[in-house]
Amino acid sequence: MSAVRRKFGDEYQAVGPARSSARRERQRFVDKNGRCNVQHGNLGGESSRYLSDLFTTLVDLKWRWNLLIFLLTYTVAWLVMASMWWGIAYLRGDLHQAHDDTYSPCVANVYNFPSAFLFFIETEATIGYGHRYITERCPEGIVLFLFQSLLGSVVDAFLIGCMFIKMSQPKKRAETLMFSRAAVISQRDGRLCLMFRVGNLRNSHMVSAQIRCKLIKSRQTPEGEFLPLDQCELDVGFGTGADQLFLVSPLTICHEINSESPFFCLSQRSLRSEQFEIVVILEGIVETTGMTCQARTSYTEDEVLWGHRFLPVMSLENGFFRVDYSQFHATFEVPTPPYSVKEQEEKLSLSSPLNSPVDNNKARGEQVCPLDCVDIAGEKDKLPFKLQKISSGKESLPQRALRMSSSNTGKTFSTGDLLKIQEISPSSAGEGSDDRMQLKALKISAEALTRSTSDLELQRSSPSVGALEMKLEDNLPAKL
């Protein structure tokens, strides 16, 4: 584990230039121009895999090696084929009897190796000067001629195709795609964001342009495993479609720092001690060639500016918009909290006001009133039919008492209190024996309901209710 740390932790974990002389500069994972600083070594027997895909291997080579292979291949092929024609002439004895007019050689006018080489070049390039030609009395020459034609076609297709593919590669198209030299962290729409700028110098568009960001940082798992150059995805609008770019003018790419971001705990102070690298990948289809192009760059922790914002580069001219690329990399300072998003959320949660006891009592009182209304409606449904008809005829005494009590004292009655008052309420009809029987039945049901609602009566009973009952009993006729 210590050997792995020494190899990867010290050598690759800290990326970018040093902030102080004490901190040494080391290699990036991806250069600013997009070149990846990775070399493959100790392949052993796996090197033969490159030969199985020879065409891609040649295309991936540098230009100087491609040109060298191109020249060497044609030179060797020409020399080998010229030697074969010279060998046929030598074996048939054409070299010694070339000037005999009565002798019919395999190839006319081939006297030595230079003449055989010129014959091959004339045949391969289809020049045909007419002075050297193959005769019909040389079957081995005819077979060699067919082999030369096939071999020349294969070599031409392979090498010329390789050169064409290499010349048409859209790697140089990435040279006209610009990235800002630094990334900034500031607030946008009330949220802390990591931002950088990308632009296209050509008038031709990048079709289906898409951008992605990777965070390269070494870390250690809870199990103790050390992960060098661990890659983590940075969301730049994948869910909202903001990663799909219409790149006709410079755009500012934004990564919102939230609870799901790897920079959730990053503050201005911790940025000075962090060691990471942000790799930006821009992909799109070149409009003119239809080939896919990819441009890359990276930002280290030294190239992330806290509390900065990019200067605007767009201006409206006479009938068009003008882009000033001289201000493409320029930034200016803006007021930005030096705290991380996590610290800001914790401070916001601690500073939120708590619910007061007065509000709780008020809310409890608002819950009691609807409960009493439900009890009253339920008790009314349990009354006999005649009493329901009488009580619905005009406003009853308990209802008037409830309204008077709520307006004066602001308190509510329980179901038991209302039923006690209803026992002594006068009826609007006659006072015959039927009414007395109904009142008696009402009293029995009221006592049962009062016992079931005794808890509510204890909580909301008040002296004003008792005084009101005494006043009502004094005003009733003697018979009642």
Side-chain angles (χ1 to χ4, degrees), residues 43-177:
L43 296 178
E46 303 298 330
S47 300
S48 60
R49 294 176 179 266
Y50 291 101
L51 297 178
S52 62
D53 189 12
L54 184 59
F55 185 80
T56 306
T57 303
L58 292 177
V59 172
D60 290 339
L61 290 176
K62 295 182 179 181
W63 269 107
R64 55 178 176 267
W65 297 111
N66 270 278
L67 293 176
L68 179 61
I69 292 175
F70 185 85
L71 295 176
L72 287 178
T73 302
Y74 274 107
T75 303
V76 171
W78 292 344
L79 292 175
V80 170
M81 295 303 300
S83 300
M84 295 179 70
W85 285 111
W86 180 83
I88 291 177
Y90 178 79
L91 294 177
R92 286 176 56 90
D94 296 342
L95 300 178
H96 303 288
Q97 302 178 8
H99 299 284
D100 189 358
D101 297 335
T102 60
Y103 180 75
S104 177
C106 181
V107 179
N109 300 317
V110 173
Y111 313 112
N112 47 28
F113 183 80
S115 60
F117 183 79
L118 290 176
F119 170 74
F120 167 75
I121 295 298
E122 292 176 12
T123 306
E124 178 67 22
T126 65
I127 298 174
Y129 293 114
H131 183 64
R132 299 177 180 88
Y133 55 91
I134 189 172
T135 62
E136 68 277 4
R137 297 181 182 180
C138 182
E140 60 272 19
I142 297 175
V143 173
L144 182 59
F145 176 77
L146 295 177
F147 176 75
Q148 171 188 329
S149 300
L150 294 176
L151 180 62
S153 300
V154 171
V155 171
D156 290 342
F158 189 83
L159 292 181
I160 295 176
C162 177
M163 298 295 290
F164 175 77
I165 293 296
K166 190 168 184 64
M167 286 188 296
S168 61
Q169 272 188 325
K171 288 184 178 180
K172 294 301 179 181
R173 179 64 176 89
E175 299 293 334
T176 54
L177 296 175

